[in-house]
Amino acid sequence: MPSYINCPNCNAKLEWSTENPNRPFCSERCKNKDFITWANEEQVIAGDSSVSDIFSEELE
Ligand SMILES: [Zn+2]
């Protein structure tokens, strides 16, 4: 019997599976978005503007 979780990013319902490489996220996009949010928070704490420049380039 499968168990279900909600994506931490978009709250989409998805089946928990060890075959899902993006778990607990629904997709690679949500997984990456969460990481970028985390990185930006770290960057604010560190006060290093060069980190922000690196992520801006990847988002384009
Ligand atoms: Zn999601």
Side-chain angles (χ1 to χ4, degrees):
M1 184 174 179
S3 58
Y4 292 88
I5 61 170
N6 290 322
C7 173
N9 184 54
C10 71
N11 214 34
K13 189 176 182 182
L14 64 145
E15 184 178 338
W16 177 269
S17 171
T18 54
E19 295 180 0
N20 176 10
N22 301 311
R23 68 185 185 282
F25 300 96
C26 68
S27 65
E28 188 173 2
R29 183 164 55 179
C30 279
K31 184 180 180 183
N32 288 339
K33 185 178 180 183
D34 187 76
F35 173 73
I36 290 168
T37 300
W38 172 84
N40 284 338
E41 288 174 354
E42 288 291 300
Q43 174 244 315
V44 170
I45 294 169
D48 186 349
S49 61
S50 64
V51 177
S52 179
D53 292 338
I54 292 169
F55 279 95
S56 295
E57 289 175 5
E58 289 186 355
L59 285 170
E60 289 176 359

